[in-house]
Amino acid sequence: PEAAVTCVSLAVALDCATAGSPLAAEALLVENLASPLVPHLVAGLGLVGDPAAMEAATPGAGGGVPPPTAALEPLLAVVTRVANGPRFFVEQSPGDLRGVSKGAAAPRKTRETVYKPCARYDRLLNDFTQLLVSSGAVDALASLFALCDRPKEQSVEPVPPAILAGLRLLESLIESGGSFSGGVSEGQGSLIVALRATALAGLPSLLTSVLLQTENETRAPVLADPILAASRLPANFVPVATVTMRLLNNIHAVFGPREVQSVLSSSDLRVETHHLLSVCLAICCGEWDRAPKESEERRDGKDDGVHDAVVSSVDEEKTSSSSSRWTLEQIASLLDETLLFIGAFALLCPANQDMLRWGRFPTLAQRLPDLPFPYYADVKKKAALFPTLVAVAFRHDTNKAAIARDLSLETLCAFIAKEMEEDVSETSETSQTKQSSSARLAGLPSRFDFANRFPRELWSDAALYFASDA
């Protein structure tokens, strides 16, 4: 019991000491104070993932002694800050302050105020990330996420905070995987091997288990009545689903679409993926017109989908009086990430393109050209949707016909032609002025760029393919 109390106290103290301080997180790494935390973190995740071990490790929990796993959440926060490095404290994109502690005020960083670590930091950060992967952190996180697959008394319980903290750590590991020096390095290779072995850290299964529990409560498939199912889902389902989709998209971006396509090629994971994508599209479309717009105050302190995933009692009261439990911005973020994933999942993969035709009407291929109207009129939403339509229908006559029934193929041809024109203008300018792609002009992250979602060398072929039936 004394050791448990000490462990929890130290973890909480470390969490408080490093919150909002890049210098403190750097010191943990440079002074070799972060590496000894890794085995404790992995062991704690293992205890949470093993019910028998968890029960044996907390004999005094009922007597007021905190269990060792109570240190897990602050420990996850500290290790995540270290693994994130300077990214944790720097604004990554407009309104996206992923690393800012939810208890701290959101700093407004600019390019001139970016925190610059010491010269040894990058090398030590790569070593620390490799240590996390080789110590089994990805496997331990997969076991943590599997907690949602266990029976619960109430299926509408929010996704636990420990799982949210685990998602943050996994995101930092994946993003660090793209920054290993020397191309596909040892660290990057070990990370993708761990992701393969754990079916992408169990991310698809995390959401699928929540959906299955909801279907068990409603006694009906989610797709039968998405609006009813949305009212029974956990209060933080949409934010957690958004983060999960973003993690899958980050894996696409770092390791390439082929890796994710290969992992999800097994029959059971393909069915799971199909069900998950169908539900996400159905819920987003069903809630779009019912969702209230986000208030200005909340938008100024925009969260990344994880830090505020647990809905507070105040927010619960506000949303209970509205027709939807989530704001329009939350619904739009999930829909954007889902579209990005579908495009990468179907890219130049006939088997996955065929999968989009599974099931009853409307199939996934039929849902894509029937999204809320802004996705065909607003520049930002078109930049999110149209590359996915190109990837889904390219060299697939059935999907192309399904899209053509609701959307003129001339619009796809015009979109590709515009991207080709802008790409030519970019190459004629200096690298400092490259800001003319549709996604970047709309303020979307670079992963939404058409060039990052569909190979440049196939743009002309795609334009001719869609123009033949336009």
Side-chain angles (χ1 to χ4, degrees):
E2 293 81 4
V5 174
T6 303
C7 183
V8 174
S9 300
L10 288 174
V12 172
L14 277 174
D15 185 18
C16 296
T18 57
S21 172
L23 195 59
E26 178 186 334
L28 284 176
L29 187 63
V30 176
E31 301 298 333
N32 199 31
L33 300 175
S35 297
L37 300 177
V38 174
H40 294 283
L41 174 62
V42 175
L45 289 170
L47 288 175
V48 173
D50 184 357
M54 178 67 176
E55 183 178 357
T58 57
V65 177
T69 49
L72 188 58
E73 291 176 37
L75 199 56
L76 277 168
V78 173
V79 173
T80 300
R81 291 189 188 108
V82 176
N84 267 322
R87 293 190 309 268
F88 190 85
F89 305 93
V90 178
E91 188 172 357
Q92 296 294 309
S93 61
D96 183 15
L97 294 169
R98 296 183 189 171
V100 175
S101 172
K102 59 183 178 181
R108 298 194 175 277
K109 296 288 185 181
T110 64
R111 289 184 180 274
E112 290 74 25
T113 60
V114 168
Y115 172 75
K116 188 175 182 179
C118 67
R120 297 173 53 206
Y121 193 83
D122 288 337
R123 179 175 57 82
L124 291 174
L125 183 59
N126 289 347
D127 293 341
F128 181 71
T129 306
Q130 292 182 36
L131 174 64
L132 274 170
V133 176
S134 61
S135 298
V138 176
D139 302 78
L141 288 173
S143 300
L144 175 66
F145 300 154
L147 287 174
C148 277
D149 200 21
R150 296 177 185 166
K152 297 180 177 61
E153 296 180 359
Q154 295 180 344
S155 61
V156 295
E157 292 178 350
V159 178
I163 291 181
L164 305 180
L167 289 171
R168 289 195 288 271
L169 176 57
L170 182 62
E171 183 170 27
S172 69
L173 285 175
I174 294 172
E175 291 184 349
S176 296
S179 61
F180 285 129
S181 58
V184 182
S185 64
E186 179 183 354
Q188 195 176 29
S190 59
L191 178 57
I192 190 58
V193 167
L195 290 172
R196 286 196 203 111
T198 57
L200 304 180
L203 290 174
S205 301
L206 169 63
L207 295 183
T208 302
S209 61
V210 177
L211 296 175
L212 292 177
Q213 290 171 12
T214 303
E215 291 179 346
N216 184 55
E217 180 182 303
T218 59
R219 305 295 181 182
V222 172
L223 292 174
D225 192 346
I227 295 179
L228 173 62
S231 65
R232 303 293 181 87
L233 285 168
N236 59 354
F237 173 78
V238 166
V240 171
T242 302
V243 175
T244 303
M245 284 295 177
R246 189 174 71 212
L247 288 175
L248 293 172
N249 289 327
N250 286 345
I251 297 174
H252 275 130
V254 172
F255 302 104
R258 297 298 183 193
E259 288 292 346
V260 177
Q261 291 173 354
S262 174
V263 173
L264 298 180
S265 61
S266 63
S267 57
D268 54 340
L269 285 176
R270 282 166 65 82
V271 173
E272 200 171 89
T273 302
H274 178 270
H275 180 63
L276 177 59
L277 295 177
S278 299
V279 169
C280 286
L281 288 184
I283 288 179
C284 289
C285 293
E287 296 288 300
W288 186 273
D289 292 329
R290 305 171 64 248
K293 290 187 177 181
E294 192 170 28
S295 65
E296 292 296 331
E297 293 180 1
R298 189 174 178 85
R299 190 182 299 113
D300 289 340
K302 185 172 185 300
D303 64 287
D304 68 345
V306 176
H307 292 283
D308 280 344
V310 180
V311 178
S312 65
S313 59
V314 176
D315 289 338
E316 192 73 45
E317 293 177 1
K318 291 181 180 179
T319 56
S320 62
S321 60
S322 63
S323 54
S324 177
R325 306 167 72 196
W326 304 289
T327 65
L328 183 60
E329 285 75 12
Q330 289 175 316
I331 296 295
S333 295
L334 174 57
L335 187 50
D336 289 348
E337 296 292 345
T338 303
L339 292 173
L340 184 61
F341 176 82
I342 292 176
F345 181 73
L347 180 62
L348 303 178
C349 183
N352 290 347
Q353 288 176 314
D354 290 338
M355 192 203 75
L356 301 179
R357 300 185 293 110
W358 290 0
R360 300 179 179 178
F361 176 86
T363 64
L364 279 170
Q366 292 167 333
R367 287 183 185 274
L368 290 175
D370 192 28
L371 298 179
F373 179 72
Y375 280 86
Y376 313 98
D378 182 75
V379 175
K380 183 175 181 179
K381 297 305 180 186
K382 287 172 64 176
L385 170 64
F386 278 40
T388 294
L389 295 178
V390 173
V392 165
F394 181 60
R395 294 176 180 171
H396 198 285
D397 294 340
T398 305
N399 286 350
K400 181 174 72 170
I403 292 174
R405 278 194 287 268
D406 293 301
L407 181 68
S408 172
L409 296 180
E410 293 180 358
T411 58
L412 287 183
C413 295
F415 176 81
I416 297 173
K418 182 179 179 182
E419 290 290 335
M420 294 173 65
E421 179 182 352
E422 292 171 345
D423 189 62
V424 171
S425 65
E426 279 191 0
T427 57
S428 63
E429 299 174 358
T430 63
S431 59
Q432 295 180 351
T433 58
K434 289 185 177 182
Q435 291 291 335
S436 58
S437 71
S438 298
R440 277 177 282 181
L441 288 174
L444 290 171
S446 60
R447 55 200 175 96
F448 282 90
D449 285 354
F450 188 47
N452 293 332
R453 302 171 63 183
F454 195 81
R456 273 193 177 92
E457 59 270 18
L458 295 177
W459 286 9
S460 298
D461 294 344
L464 293 174
Y465 178 75
F466 292 112
S468 62
D469 293 332

